């Protein structure tokens, strides 16, 4: 079946630095990708919707200048956490849609960010 | 979006069937019922989905009430690898391919050896 891959799976960074997380659709073209954030023992919260070749649509309360999303190709979307702080430590998950009516959305393995 | 209600947690013995309930009393006629599960430290994975009729696949069965206001995910023989958080989600069929998913709190299933 279709596969969505995230990289890195784990990252530790110092406060104030920026971190980039990649999300790739490996065997299909993803017209739309979604970025979620999940804190411990909580559910997934949608951060933004990313469409290839256009600006991302951010959910209310998500700072677009802090969480930069780029969807430059049909197989790659990136999330950059800029000037990371300890409160940004979380599990970041992407999902991808091919835009067809198959019923299934595919999720990446997740990327755990720890900001010291 | 129509909301779903699930028990916060459930326990089941290994190799026993598990019935995970979901209430969706405000479901609309075009909403499909989807189930995803999330194993520890992983992204969610698709389990099953349906509209009106009961559905079976290699992972599970989905039983949908006649009035569609509730559904039950059935794991026929639970294994330790089925321990996960199970999410019941409604998706509007008119925008199937691109619609974002709204996750509720889900049911944390614990399997007892």
């Amino acid at each position: 079946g279709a596969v969505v891959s995230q990289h890195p799976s784990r990252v530790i960074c110092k406060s104030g630095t920026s971190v980039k997380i990649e999300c790739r659709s490996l065997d299909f073209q993803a017209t739309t990708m979604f970025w979620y954030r999940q804190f411990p023992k909580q559910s997934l919260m949608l951060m933004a919707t990313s469409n290839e070749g256009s600006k991302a649509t951010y959910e209310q309360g998500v700072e677009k200048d802090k969480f930069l999303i780029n969807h430059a190709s049909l197989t790659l979307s990136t999330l950059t956490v800029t000037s990371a702080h300890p409160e940004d430590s979380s599990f970041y998950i992407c999902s991808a849609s091919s835009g067809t009516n198959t019923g299934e959305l595919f999720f990446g393995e997740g990327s755990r960010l720890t900001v010291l | 979006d129509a909301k779903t209600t699930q028990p916060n947690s459930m326990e089941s013995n290994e190799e026993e069937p598990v019935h995970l309930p979901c209430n969706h009393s405000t479901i609309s006629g075009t909403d499909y019922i989807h189930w995803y599960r999330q194993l520890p430290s992983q992204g969610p994975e698709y389990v099953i989905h349906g509209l009106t009729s009961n559905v079976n696949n290699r992972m599970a069965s989905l039983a949908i009430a006649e009035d569609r206001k509730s559904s039950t995910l059935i794991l026929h023989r639970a294994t330790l690898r089925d321990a996960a958080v199970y999410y019941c989600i409604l998706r509007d069929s008119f925008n199937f391919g691109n619609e974002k998913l709204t996750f509720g709190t889900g049911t944390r299933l614990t399997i007892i050896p």
Side-chain angles (χ1 to χ4, degrees):
Chain A
V3 177
V4 175
S5 179
Q6 279 184 244
H7 177 80
S9 58
R10 294 177 181 272
V11 57
I12 300 173
C13 70
K14 293 182 178 180
S15 185
T17 60
S18 295
V19 174
K20 180 186 286 187
I21 300 169
E22 294 185 346
C23 178
R24 294 181 184 273
S25 57
L26 297 184
D27 57 358
F28 69 99
Q29 293 185 327
T31 55
T32 305
M33 288 185 172
F34 306 93
W35 286 95
Y36 294 83
R37 179 170 53 182
Q38 185 176 34
F39 293 108
K41 303 296 184 184
Q42 294 187 24
S43 189
L44 284 76
M45 295 296 294
L46 181 68
M47 299 175 66
T49 301
S50 167
N51 291 299
E52 187 266 338
S54 64
K55 290 184 178 180
T57 302
Y58 290 81
E59 296 297 302
Q60 190 173 8
V62 178
E63 299 176 58
K64 63 179 181 180
D65 294 330
K66 180 169 185 61
F67 299 100
L68 301 179
I69 292 172
N70 183 279
H71 193 162
S73 78
L74 285 172
T75 59
L76 174 64
S77 176
T78 61
L79 168 67
T80 302
V81 182
T82 63
S83 187
H85 289 95
E87 57 265 31
D88 298 323
S89 298
S90 188
F91 194 50
Y92 292 88
I93 304 167
C94 71
S95 72
S97 166
S98 61
T100 60
N101 191 3
T102 61
E104 180 177 356
L105 276 180
F106 303 100
F107 288 82
E109 313 95 323
S111 299
R112 187 166 301 283
L113 170 64
T114 303
V115 184
L116 302 176
Chain B
D1 293 338
K3 294 182 67 173
T4 62
T5 305
Q6 300 175 252
N8 288 331
S9 63
M10 289 184 64
E11 287 186 350
S12 178
N13 294 319
E14 192 177 10
E15 299 186 4
E16 294 285 322
V18 181
H19 290 234
L20 297 165
C22 180
N23 287 319
H24 27 78
S25 58
T26 60
I27 190 171
S28 73
T30 56
D31 283 336
Y32 276 73
I33 302 159
H34 279 244
W35 285 81
Y36 283 76
R37 73 178 185 180
Q38 186 178 22
L39 280 64
S41 298
Q42 294 187 29
E45 65 174 344
Y46 169 82
V47 178
I48 200 166
H49 77 281
L51 184 63
T52 57
S53 303
N54 295 343
V55 184
N56 299 296
N57 66 20
R58 63 177 181 82
M59 288 182 70
S61 295
L62 176 60
I64 301 172
E66 196 169 337
D67 63 5
R68 299 205 334 120
K69 292 185 177 182
S70 65
S71 61
T72 302
L73 178 70
I74 302 167
L75 306 179
H76 294 287
R77 193 163 170 268
T79 69
L80 295 177
R81 289 174 297 199
D82 292 321
V85 178
Y86 287 78
Y87 296 98
C88 169
I89 301 167
L90 301 182
R91 292 187 67 194
D92 188 340
S93 60
F94 281 117
N95 197 21
F96 225 45
N98 292 316
E99 188 184 353
K100 59 192 178 185
L101 292 185
T102 300
F103 286 82
T105 55
T107 297
R108 184 174 298 276
L109 176 64
T110 300
I111 304 299
I112 302 169

